[in-house]
Amino acid sequence: MDELLVVAGSFVVFQLMFVLASPLLTALFCQGYGNVVPAKHTEWNSRLVSTVHALIVGTFCLYILWFDDAVNKDPVWGEPRLVKLNVAITCGYLVYDLLLLARYWKTMGDGFFVCHHIAALYAYGFVLSRGVLPYFANFRLLSELSTPFVNQRWFFEALSVPRSDRRVVLNGIAMSVVFFAVRIAVIPTYYWRVISTLGTPAFERLGPGPQVAWILSSVSLDVLNAIWMYRIARGCYRVVTGSGRKAKSLIPITDTNNHTD
């Protein structure tokens, strides 16, 4: 019941941020916002909320990874209190984002994101209802640490900041490094823990539902992360070296996933 209250509260807070806080704060602190075409205001506010969510969840993830001994010692059935809180916040965000996509489908609708969100809610439902796989759920949410840099890249594009601008270049490098660190470099560690868990009594206690949701979602997300990493690295290389700048100047930036994995 407590987790459901957190989900509901998270949904309300993120909705209020989108409707009220983001437009007001952006207008006050971002001088170039007035020059952004109105058609992009909805996505601007959505990405700002996404960044706030990523910072909250990412901070929780790091704390749990470094200091929550119960979860780290027992990745399948460890005390999930903090992980469930973090997952509940994320579920509230996912519900908010699903409704946002439905409302602004013509400008923001994407069938992939709908499937992604529904699959994530299904998998996280086991964490909230049964408290299972806390270590792996937390590990997955670490990917949110790359989201602020992805969103900042979009903000620069919306503000028509040249790709040769130092801020864009530095953000692109930071985005590539962080994306690689939290989504690609961690793959061996993650699957080492997965393999060491398979066949154990703790794994067998899960039952087929959580087992299938866990393994399939993990593999699918890592395939997507590898594809996105390749695109980000290629774009970063072009910005740093200046190669293909004229040819690519009119092509929008690659839109990697700024949502929850």
Side-chain angles (χ1 to χ4, degrees):
M1 180 62 69
D2 290 342
E3 289 78 19
L4 292 179
L5 291 176
V6 175
V7 173
S10 171
F11 168 80
V12 171
V13 169
F14 287 126
Q15 183 64 40
L16 290 175
M17 286 184 60
F18 173 80
V19 174
L20 298 176
S22 178
L24 291 175
L25 292 176
T26 302
L28 285 174
F29 296 105
C30 183
Q31 296 180 352
Y33 181 69
N35 298 325
V36 176
V37 295
K40 290 187 176 182
H41 286 181
T42 298
E43 186 166 1
W44 179 293
N45 296 326
S46 170
R47 286 182 179 268
L48 187 57
V49 174
S50 169
T51 296
V52 173
H53 164 261
L55 292 173
I56 295 172
V57 170
T59 301
F60 263 111
C61 284
L62 290 176
Y63 176 83
I64 294 168
L65 185 65
W66 291 337
F67 301 111
D68 197 327
D69 294 333
V71 169
N72 291 315
K73 288 181 180 178
D74 186 351
V76 181
W77 295 96
E79 171 54 46
R81 182 174 59 87
L82 287 179
V83 174
K84 289 173 75 173
L85 173 62
N86 212 19
V87 168
I89 293 172
T90 294
C91 286
Y93 170 79
L94 290 174
V95 174
Y96 142 81
D97 204 42
L98 275 174
L99 294 179
L100 188 70
L101 289 173
R103 181 179 179 183
Y104 299 100
W105 185 260
K106 290 185 178 180
T107 56
M108 296 177 57
D110 190 319
F112 165 77
F113 284 137
V114 172
C115 294
H116 170 274
H117 285 13
I118 292 175
L121 287 169
Y122 172 73
Y124 289 145
F126 288 108
V127 180
L128 294 180
S129 62
R130 296 179 54 185
V132 299
L133 302 168
Y135 174 86
F136 298 103
N138 184 68
F139 215 97
R140 275 297 161 197
L141 286 174
L142 280 174
S143 63
E144 282 300 303
L145 291 171
S146 65
T147 297
F149 299 98
V150 175
N151 287 338
Q152 186 59 49
R153 190 184 187 199
W154 185 91
F155 292 142
F156 282 139
E157 186 79 3
L159 293 170
S160 300
V161 178
R163 294 188 182 182
S164 58
D165 188 284
R166 185 180 181 183
R167 294 168 296 173
V168 177
V169 174
L170 291 177
N171 180 74
I173 295 173
M175 179 181 68
S176 299
V177 172
V178 175
F179 195 99
F180 177 80
V182 300
R183 294 181 185 245
I184 304 299
V186 298
I187 288 178
T189 300
Y190 181 84
Y191 283 101
W192 175 79
R193 296 299 297 266
V194 171
I195 293 172
S196 66
T197 301
L198 297 179
T200 63
F203 177 80
E204 298 301 329
R205 284 175 57 196
L206 287 173
Q211 290 171 353
V212 172
W214 171 32
I215 300 301
L216 288 183
S217 63
S218 295
V219 173
S220 300
L221 289 172
D222 285 327
V223 170
L224 291 172
N225 285 333
I227 295 172
W228 284 326
M229 183 70 250
Y230 169 74
R231 293 177 178 176
I232 287 175
R234 184 176 60 181
C236 182
Y237 173 79
R238 287 173 175 167
V239 169
V240 172
T241 62
S243 62
R245 186 175 298 157
K246 292 182 179 179
K248 299 294 183 180
S249 61
L250 297 179
I251 299 178
I253 58 175
T254 301
D255 187 17
T256 55
N257 181 9
N258 68 307
H259 294 36
T260 303
D261 283 340

